[in-house]
Amino acid sequence: MAIQVFTNPKITIGGVDLTNHITQVTLEYVQDAIETTAFGPGNARTYVGGLTVNKFSLTLEQDFAAASVESTIYPLLGTSATVQMLPLNASTSSVNPSYTFSVLVNDWKPMDGKVGDLFVTAATWPITGPITKGTT
Amino acid sequence: MTASCNEIEDAIATALNAIDGLRCFTYLPDNFTPPTAIVAVSEVDYHGSFRGGDVPHQIDVMVIVGRASERVAQGLLDDYISYSGPKSVRTVIESDPTLGGVVSTSIVEKAGNMKVLLIAAVPYISVDFSMTVHA
């Protein structure tokens, strides 16, 4: 596997594959940096890793049809949903790892746009619990 | 499956042919009798969303009217570029943005660039419409 252009991932939310309505996606892993700097001869701050504060962001083309965007996301509001992402729409492997995690669906804009634009909406959801990376 | 350029052009032509008196082509005809509309895909963005879920097409529609009478020609073009009315290109297209179910949605963004054309030494007046189709 070499570098690749990002056109054909697989992204499921609550078990529904919404990939072909998604225009942008970000899985962000961030760990708090807990400072451990102490007096000593060195002149650099030191840290250890603390809690992770992971986020999942996406932009979707809104679609009110059955089994599409709105009918999938809206019922999940206020609940946790499983998200799975793969770089390619193919089987999980070491070069096509899966990332599976739960998000708290606490942000949703069913309508967001200006006149004449395509109906697009964006959301950022906190990840609750760990991210599981699969390679087989 | 995403509609082809030909299918999109045909769908727009079918919609525009509903305008009384307007003849619509998806190619540049050797001979035509105005008023005539010519539909052409000018740009395709293959990756509007992941996995080909949205393929935006930019569409140009040129409407050409005869210039035998400038006042009549101008009045006819005004009918075509009006926001609404039985000859409004925008109204006809956006009355069914799916173009008969061929595309996901479409919009006529603007009309403009009115100009005089000389075709085979015959003067015509034309106006351009810009459309976006999400296939």
Side-chain angles (χ1 to χ4, degrees), chain B residues 71-134:
Chain B
R71 205 165 77 174
V72 171
Q74 183 65 53
L76 194 50
L77 281 185
D78 285 347
D79 287 342
Y80 292 133
I81 67 175
S82 290
Y83 178 80
S84 59
K87 293 189 174 179
S88 162
V89 167
R90 185 210 67 81
T91 297
V92 167
I93 295 293
E94 294 184 4
S95 65
D96 176 11
T98 71
L99 302 173
V102 172
V103 302
S104 293
T105 190
S106 63
I107 184 170
V108 181
E109 275 123 357
K110 60 176 74 171
N113 192 31
M114 203 176 289
K115 59 186 179 292
V116 174
L117 291 179
L118 270 180
I119 302 174
V122 177
Y124 300 89
I125 304 179
S126 72
V127 66
D128 299 332
F129 294 82
S130 302
M131 284 183 65
T132 300
V133 168
H134 295 271

Side-chain angles (χ1 to χ4, degrees), chain A residues 24 28 34 36 45 52 56 63 69 85 88-89 94 108 134:
Chain A
Q24 180 276 331
E28 187 176 358
I34 309 297
T36 56
R45 295 183 184 276
T52 56
F56 173 66
D63 189 336
V69 175
M85 303 170 61
L88 281 173
N89 182 29
S94 60
W108 184 239

Side-chain angles (χ1 to χ4, degrees), chain A residues 12-125:
Chain A
T12 62
I13 300 170
V16 180
D17 188 343
L18 293 177
T19 310
N20 65 1
H21 283 68
I22 296 172
T23 63
Q24 180 276 331
V25 67
T26 304
L27 173 58
E28 187 176 358
Y29 181 99
V30 178
Q31 190 169 25
D32 288 343
I34 309 297
E35 186 163 353
T36 56
T37 310
F39 291 119
N43 62 353
R45 295 183 184 276
T46 59
Y47 300 90
V48 294
L51 298 174
T52 56
V53 190
N54 302 327
K55 290 185 292 186
F56 173 66
S57 304
L58 75 171
T59 303
L60 302 109
E61 294 179 350
Q62 178 61 293
D63 189 336
F64 295 95
S68 193
V69 175
E70 178 70 3
S71 64
T72 299
I73 306 296
Y74 196 83
L76 297 174
L77 278 171
T79 69
S80 292
T82 299
V83 174
Q84 186 176 57
M85 303 170 61
L86 287 88
L88 281 173
N89 182 29
S91 301
T92 301
S93 69
S94 60
V95 293
N96 190 41
S98 64
Y99 298 86
T100 307
F101 46 89
S102 289
V103 294
L104 176 63
V105 183
N106 66 341
D107 167 26
W108 184 239
K109 297 180 261 317
M111 287 186 272
D112 182 22
K114 63 178 185 171
V115 61
D117 281 357
L118 192 65
F119 219 149
V120 170
T121 190
T124 298
W125 299 324

Side-chain angles (χ1 to χ4, degrees), chain B residues 12-102:
Chain B
I12 294 169
T14 298
L16 292 179
N17 277 327
I19 296 177
D20 187 34
L22 185 65
R23 298 161 193 84
C24 192
F25 296 90
T26 58
Y27 57 91
L28 190 61
D30 287 336
N31 297 296
F32 63 89
T33 304
T36 294
I38 299 169
V39 180
V41 174
S42 63
E43 188 175 305
V44 183
D45 177 358
Y46 297 112
H47 302 290
S49 70
F50 290 125
R51 213 184 294 165
D54 174 27
V55 182
H57 292 64
Q58 299 302 315
I59 311 288
D60 294 335
V61 178
M62 177 188 277
V63 173
I64 303 168
V65 301
R67 197 167 170 250
S69 162
E70 291 173 0
R71 205 165 77 174
V72 171
Q74 183 65 53
L76 194 50
L77 281 185
D78 285 347
D79 287 342
Y80 292 133
I81 67 175
S82 290
Y83 178 80
S84 59
K87 293 189 174 179
S88 162
V89 167
R90 185 210 67 81
T91 297
V92 167
I93 295 293
E94 294 184 4
S95 65
D96 176 11
T98 71
L99 302 173
V102 172

